[in-house]
Amino acid sequence: SSDLLKVDFETNLLTCEKCDLHQHREQVVIGSGETPADILFVGECPGESEEKKQIPYVGKSGKLLRRLIKDTPISEDVCYFTNIVKCNPFNARDPFPWEIDNCLPHLVTQVKYVVHPKIIVGIGNIICNYLSKPHSYVLYREHGKILDISGGIKFIGIIDPYKALEDSAIEDLLIKDLKLVLNLWKSL
């Protein structure tokens, strides 16, 4: 059953030792939201705030993203939030490519067996490059571009809300991207 698959998935994450991140983690940040969810937001990795609360996107940039989603208006009832890397890289660094590669199978399992999204929203350039393969998705040139990826799922990349914290012009682009997500969701 799907509940059993979800438990197996979570157990595999909680006991994962595929990379060195497990040596420093306090908590694994699996994701938040109702499942299944029509829209899956995927970021890079949890930060310190996310690790403490075990909820993605609750730090400064996450609060901005969630506020903009609500203002769009996309109901959070149809959204699920996660990261490609489920552990917080210590020293507030970006995850290394091999850490992303080790976590990618977890995300694939989460998409197929837990969330079942119609739309995957990649947050930030690194995520867009990983999730849009075999396509090349250069976020700052193609943000808002919609791709068809495996299983009939639509993919769209949005600018990382972290970049919008200090630049209102980037926040305006992020709002525009989220409106595209809303329109895509309404069209499905």
Side-chain angles (χ1 to χ4, degrees):
S1 83
S2 63
D3 287 341
L4 188 58
L5 287 171
K6 188 174 180 180
V7 169
D8 284 348
F9 165 73
E10 290 177 0
T11 300
N12 286 336
L13 277 177
L14 295 172
T15 59
C16 180
E17 295 182 358
K18 290 183 179 181
C19 69
D20 291 342
L21 290 179
H22 78 277
Q23 296 172 353
H24 303 279
R25 74 174 174 229
E26 291 177 27
Q27 314 253 22
V28 176
V29 183
I30 296 172
S32 70
E34 296 297 318
T35 57
D38 288 349
I39 305 171
L40 173 62
F41 287 87
V42 182
E44 219 173 271
C45 61
E48 194 174 311
S49 299
E50 288 81 7
E51 183 178 32
K52 283 181 181 168
K53 294 183 179 180
Q54 284 188 282
I55 301 171
Y57 285 92
V58 294
K60 281 184 185 177
S61 62
K63 287 177 183 173
L64 174 64
L65 176 64
R66 287 176 185 263
R67 179 180 58 79
L68 295 176
I69 288 169
K70 187 176 179 182
D71 291 350
T72 300
I74 299 172
S75 170
E76 279 202 34
D77 293 348
V78 300
C79 299
Y80 190 88
F81 298 86
T82 193
N83 290 292
I84 196 165
V85 173
K86 309 298 187 190
C87 299
N88 176 19
F90 49 97
N91 298 328
R93 66 168 173 79
D94 290 338
F96 294 125
W98 61 87
E99 293 165 341
I100 294 172
D101 290 339
N102 283 327
C103 276
L104 189 58
H106 293 308
L107 180 65
V108 170
T109 300
Q110 195 171 23
V111 167
K112 282 184 175 180
Y113 301 109
V114 179
V115 182
H116 310 285
K118 295 177 183 173
I119 303 166
I120 295 177
V121 180
I123 302 170
N125 200 46
I126 291 172
I127 296 310
C128 287
N129 287 332
Y130 270 87
L131 298 184
S132 65
K133 289 178 183 177
H135 308 283
S136 175
Y137 198 102
V138 180
L139 182 63
Y140 296 100
R141 190 174 61 228
E142 301 179 289
H143 67 91
K145 179 181 174 184
I146 299 165
L147 299 176
D148 288 310
I149 57 175
S150 68
I153 299 170
K154 304 289 185 191
F155 175 85
I156 187 168
I158 64 170
I159 293 172
D160 192 322
Y162 178 80
K163 306 237 185 258
L165 287 173
E166 298 173 3
D167 188 334
S168 62
I170 292 178
E171 184 176 328
D172 291 342
L173 287 175
L174 181 56
I175 290 167
K176 190 175 176 181
D177 288 348
L178 289 170
K179 286 180 179 177
L180 288 171
V181 172
L182 174 66
N183 291 333
L184 176 60
W185 176 66
K186 284 181 174 180
S187 73
L188 297 178

